Amino acid sequence: MALIELSGIERRFLLGDTTVNALAGLNLQIEAGEYVAVMGPSGSGKSTLLNLLGLLDRPNEGTYKLEGRDVTTLSPDEQATVRSTRIGFVFQSFHLVPRLTAAENIALPMTLAGISPAERNKRVAQALKDFGLDQRADHKPDQLSGGQRQRVAIARATIMQPALILADEPTGNLDRHTGEEVVNLLEALNARGVTLIVVTHDPGMGARARRQLVMEDGRLKSDSRTDDISILGKISG
Amino acid sequence: MRLTDTLRFARDAATGYPMRTTLSVLAMSIGVAAVVILTALGDGARRYVVGQFSSLGTNLVIVLPGRSGTGGFNPANAITTTPRDLTIDDAGSLRRLPTVRRVAPLAVGTSEIAFGGKLREVMVAGSTADFIPIRNFTIAQGVGLPEEDWNRGSSVAVIGAKIRDEMFGANPAIGQLVRVGDRRLRVVGVLASTGQGLGMNTDELVIVPVSLAQAMFNSNTLFRILVEANSRDAIEGAKDQAMTAIKQRHRGEEDVTVITQDAVLATFDKLLGALTLAVAGIAAISLAVAGILVMNVMLVAVTQRTGEIGLLKALGATARTIRLAFLAEAAMLSAVGALVGYLLGQLGAFALRQFFPVFPAYPPDWAVIAGLSTALATGLIFGVMPARRAARLDPVQALMKH
Ligand SMILES: Nc1ncnc2c1ncn2[C@@H]1O[C@H](COP(=O)(O)OP(=O)(O)OP(=O)(O)O)[C@@H](O)[C@H]1O
Ligand SMILES: [Mg+2]
């Protein structure tokens, strides 16, 4: 059973009189433990796809099965539970809560899930150590460097031990060196079995993934796993 | 999310925007403080008046000449042109009533008192021996008026404390002969100083036998008859019996009015109670205004923190969690405001009591409870709308607003 199974996904946006097909006729399978890079020009639907996978958005048509379960028909509260327990997000602009300390930001998903303070402290302490943030536990986000902020965000994304991590241009706001560090961290998580889906504009970073998806106009232009088939299609078409 | 975590989250969010928070707390606290202080004033006035009335005497029934306008139409009265005067004999007749303990006729007027070349204007009360005990006056020196025939008063006077001081200074007053109007009277007693009250100020009063006063003012009428009933339960009986007795003496005409102190007291109590309520109502409007301000502040908070709300949703927060967090913040703003306002109000009432010691400016319990709960309720009610708006935000849109 695939971790993710998309079939016939359509996502349309109404912009005045015109409809934008952000995602069109999308079929996709991703196995548990995969490392996937999503690439393509701006406006090709990469973020829309990621939001959909993260249950932040619903398709107009098609079905999305996560771990074998159709999640498009779940109630908002059930979707929230799935996000809380199965999915971790990493954003380009970090999205840390400015008034909370690094430790509190990392603990936030557990706080929202109602996990006891004792358990929270234990896991946060471990995460701070794992991500090299021990000395920064009580710092507010504005007292941290960009790389440290993204490390806090990654620690936060993993603190609930999700099966799937979705990262939308995680290195977009970082210099090459810090970006490299962050990618290494994400890859280390993947090495431990977490499914990793990264949207990136950086071909070098995309190439590091074991599977590349290229999008164009809301469609899958190429998929490295099925490249042979698509080439075959081009020849015959 | 656990309750303690929700509260901590709300607290941090509130303290994260100090200006906004201070303003809404201030608005709420002014509203509550206004309720506390204004009701303290209103209720203080009520207590003051009631206290003053109670000090007039206990179980008092008062007979006034003339019909009261509220007695309804009585054909017997339609014929009469002028009401009969109240006389000393009218008062005397009331002494025989079974429900009555003491009776004192009262005639009043102004005159002048002279002693040793000093002269001043005074208020003269003509009455009898029982006047002083009925009115709860205390005698500082000497004795009161003598028990004697009401129609043949002896030439004595009881004077107020201020008159004593002005006329005699450090010298003894008891036994001295003073001139009051055209009479020479012997001072037999001095009243204890009472200061300014709602009733008569006795400090500048001269009390003389009632027949003397009537002769002095050249009149046969009384200003009032003061009747003290045997007990609280006897007040109504005494009132009816006094009315019947006087009516009989006045050939069946109800040309007097009999009021009881209780009735007057109840009227004032009701009137001033209503005033306090009205004042509290006006102050409560400021609470509603404060509630609207809290709503405004929370709406701004939702707009300011749209990105954060999107993030919370991405991290798995349910709509309920977000609603509760924002509601808790609104409740916190109004609760802190209410508490600060309560303290400010009590402080204000305390200051009032310090400046006007005779004025018992204590806020009534009902007003404090109503003020605090109105503040909390408005804060919560006006917090619901922003909280729901926050919970309904589309996470994708919200996240883009970062
Ligand atoms: N909320 C929206 N309303 C209207 N149109 C939208 C909305 N969100 C996305 N779109 C449109 O859908 C298309 C895909 O957008 P998307 O954000 O997924 O692109 P992207 O591949 O992530 O681009 P970028 O690389 O610039 O981030 C674009 O044409 C965009 O204008
Ligand atoms: Mg994008």
Side-chain angles (χ1 to χ4, degrees), chain A residues 13-15 20 22 40-48 169 201, chain B residues 397 400:
Chain A
F13 291 107
L14 270 175
L15 266 179
V20 179
S42 185
S44 56
K46 306 183 292 294
S47 295
T48 306
E169 299 182 39
H201 278 290
Chain B
Q397 298 287 333
M400 289 199 307

Side-chain angles (χ1 to χ4, degrees), chain B residues 22-284:
Chain B
T22 312
L23 278 180
S24 47
V25 164
L26 194 69
M28 197 50 97
S29 64
I30 287 173
V32 174
V35 169
V36 171
I37 290 179
L38 289 178
T39 54
L41 267 176
D43 206 52
R46 187 187 64 81
R47 280 191 227 202
Y48 177 75
V49 169
V50 168
Q52 288 292 333
F53 259 94
S54 309
S55 73
L56 289 183
T58 40
N59 306 333
L60 212 54
V61 175
I62 303 164
V63 183
L64 304 77
R67 261 183 61 76
S68 79
T70 57
F73 182 73
N74 182 342
N77 293 320
I79 316 161
T80 39
T81 44
T82 47
R84 270 164 195 268
D85 294 331
L86 272 180
T87 63
I88 293 179
D89 291 339
D90 285 339
S93 73
L94 300 182
R95 286 208 278 187
R96 291 187 289 274
L97 299 178
T99 49
V100 167
R101 176 180 297 156
R102 288 192 272 234
V103 176
L106 181 62
V108 294
T110 51
S111 185
E112 51 190 33
I113 184 168
F115 176 77
K118 287 180 211 135
L119 188 80
R120 67 157 288 170
E121 190 144 324
V122 287
M123 177 98 162
V124 175
S127 193
T128 56
D130 281 343
F131 180 60
I132 288 172
I134 286 180
R135 286 294 313 272
N136 285 340
F137 296 156
T138 38
I139 297 199
Q141 295 161 24
V143 294
L145 293 179
E147 296 278 0
E148 60 187 348
D149 184 347
W150 288 6
N151 284 306
R152 262 184 283 279
S154 39
S155 296
V156 295
V158 176
I159 61 174
K162 193 170 172 197
I163 292 176
R164 199 215 81 90
D165 290 345
E166 286 183 13
M167 305 305 288
F168 301 99
N171 300 317
I174 304 294
Q176 299 288 352
L177 277 176
V178 293
R179 186 173 62 75
V180 177
D182 54 0
R183 305 284 172 136
R184 293 182 70 76
L185 306 176
R186 188 170 301 282
V187 176
V188 293
V190 178
L191 291 171
S193 174
T194 53
Q196 192 66 52
L198 234 205
M200 218 178 268
N201 181 3
T202 63
D203 292 354
E204 297 182 58
L205 190 68
V206 171
I207 305 173
V208 302
V210 62
S211 55
L212 239 64
Q214 286 190 334
M216 222 181 271
F217 303 133
N218 199 14
S219 121
N220 285 323
T221 65
L222 293 177
F223 173 62
R224 297 274 187 275
I225 302 173
L226 305 181
V227 178
E228 186 183 321
N230 277 327
S231 65
R232 202 181 165 78
D233 296 334
I235 291 176
E236 277 308 307
K239 180 185 170 187
D240 294 343
Q241 288 174 7
M243 181 53 109
T244 316
I246 304 241
K247 192 172 161 185
Q248 225 165 38
R249 290 179 53 83
H250 290 194
R251 297 208 200 126
E253 282 173 30
E254 276 192 18
D255 55 3
V256 294
T257 305
V258 183
I259 55 172
T260 62
Q261 188 190 10
D262 268 17
V264 177
L265 209 66
T267 307
F268 267 98
D269 201 21
K270 239 162 95 186
L271 200 76
L272 290 165
L275 190 82
T276 309
L277 207 65
V279 164
I282 291 167

Side-chain angles (χ1 to χ4, degrees), chain A residues 48-62:
Chain A
T48 306
L49 172 62
L50 221 62
N51 290 335
L52 204 103
L53 292 176
L55 296 180
L56 295 175
D57 199 6
R58 286 167 189 262
N60 297 100
E61 264 158 65

